[in-house]
Amino acid sequence: MGELVLLERRDDGVAVVTLNNPKVNALSQAVLAELRAVAEGLASDPPGAVVITGGERIFAAGADISEFGGPSEGRAIGEGFHHALDAVAAIPRFVIAAVSGYALGGGCELALACDYRIVSERAVFGQPEILLGIIPGGGGTQRLPRAVGASRAKELMITGRQVKADEALAIGLADEVVAPEAFVQNKRGAHASVVAATPCPLPHGDDCGDGGAPPRRDHPACCRSFPASLTSISCRERGTCSRRTLAVHQTLSSLKKLPLGPAETTSSPSGS
């Protein structure tokens, strides 16, 4: 087990997966590789239920933009996201995202790859990739419409605006909102403990509405209104995102050369 993604298998049958990449839980390639390995391990030796969580202020901030480069780097990042999040989606048990604070970009996509999202009143969701000139590259173009509907998903991805907990609940991006003090209990798997103790049949393949994707747990028949395979469309999503990361890389490189003001003509912008 790595240091960036922590796994705790509890005696009550619940596995708690914690993202541990301070300060903002950026989903770097190293984090995604560990998350994929943990998810594949849980798939091969399933617990009763799974809880995926992050920090109190930030669930996950999305991709590590310091890794952005040309199309080849973008392709690697996209593939890393898809491999990791598809592995989470393929865990043959009920998977709960316990979200406190910000779940942006890839962080939102990770939450969407789970079956159920319990969120703190402080939670904030968003797909802000458009503000960098790219599109969601970790399955968000497919999983977000399945959660909130096509029109709302388009609006969120085109504007890049952020959604607070109450609105997330209203539009279907969150399934339950709890007070911060109650969130700690849910983060530790209160709901998952009940699920782990309740055996249930699992749908497979074509029965799950994902166009023959890996076995899922809870996809209702309404998912069939999105007949295209997640796998096939995700290939196009990765291709578009990888090409656009070159432009982002060039923009960020240009920003590093710009002066901040008369008194800071030789300094680099903060966060570079």
Side-chain angles (χ1 to χ4, degrees), residues 101-190:
Y102 290 91
L104 302 177
C108 184
E109 289 171 309
L110 172 56
L112 287 167
C114 300
D115 298 304
Y116 195 81
R117 289 166 289 282
I118 298 177
V119 310
S120 163
E121 292 173 345
R122 299 171 180 159
V124 179
F125 292 89
Q127 298 288 169
E129 290 87 351
I130 192 68
L131 304 179
L132 290 175
I134 59 177
I135 65 169
T141 63
Q142 302 308 303
R143 290 191 174 102
L144 186 59
R146 285 164 164 79
V148 305
S151 295
R152 178 64 65 193
K154 290 175 185 177
E155 183 262 329
L156 292 175
M157 288 186 285
I158 290 171
T159 64
R161 74 178 181 90
Q162 297 178 1
V163 174
K164 294 184 178 179
D166 288 344
E167 183 182 358
L169 179 64
I171 65 176
L173 189 48
D175 298 292
E176 186 174 346
V177 177
V178 299
E181 55 271 20
F183 178 78
V184 175
Q185 181 180 7
N186 284 288
K187 180 177 179 177
R188 297 303 302 162

Side-chain angles (χ1 to χ4, degrees), residues 10 77 110 174 269:
R10 297 184 351 197
I77 292 171
L110 172 56

Side-chain angles (χ1 to χ4, degrees), residues 143-266:
R143 290 191 174 102
L144 186 59
R146 285 164 164 79
V148 305
S151 295
R152 178 64 65 193
K154 290 175 185 177
E155 183 262 329
L156 292 175
M157 288 186 285
I158 290 171
T159 64
R161 74 178 181 90
Q162 297 178 1
V163 174
K164 294 184 178 179
D166 288 344
E167 183 182 358
L169 179 64
I171 65 176
L173 189 48
D175 298 292
E176 186 174 346
V177 177
V178 299
E181 55 271 20
F183 178 78
V184 175
Q185 181 180 7
N186 284 288
K187 180 177 179 177
R188 297 303 302 162
H191 279 60
S193 296
V194 176
V195 174
T198 308
C200 60
L202 309 178
H204 290 269
D206 293 335
D207 295 330
C208 71
D210 273 353
R216 294 285 299 180
R217 283 75 58 194
D218 68 332
H219 276 282
C222 65
C223 285
R224 290 174 187 154
S225 62
F226 297 94
S229 163
L230 275 173
T231 302
S232 64
I233 295 186
S234 290
C235 289
R236 278 179 275 167
E237 180 187 81
R238 288 199 299 272
T240 301
C241 192
S242 67
R243 291 191 296 272
R244 293 299 302 159
T245 54
L246 175 58
V248 175
H249 174 70
Q250 292 171 336
T251 300
L252 292 174
S253 298
S254 298
L255 287 174
K256 292 179 182 179
K257 300 174 183 178
L258 292 177
L260 290 182
E264 300 175 274
T265 55
T266 60

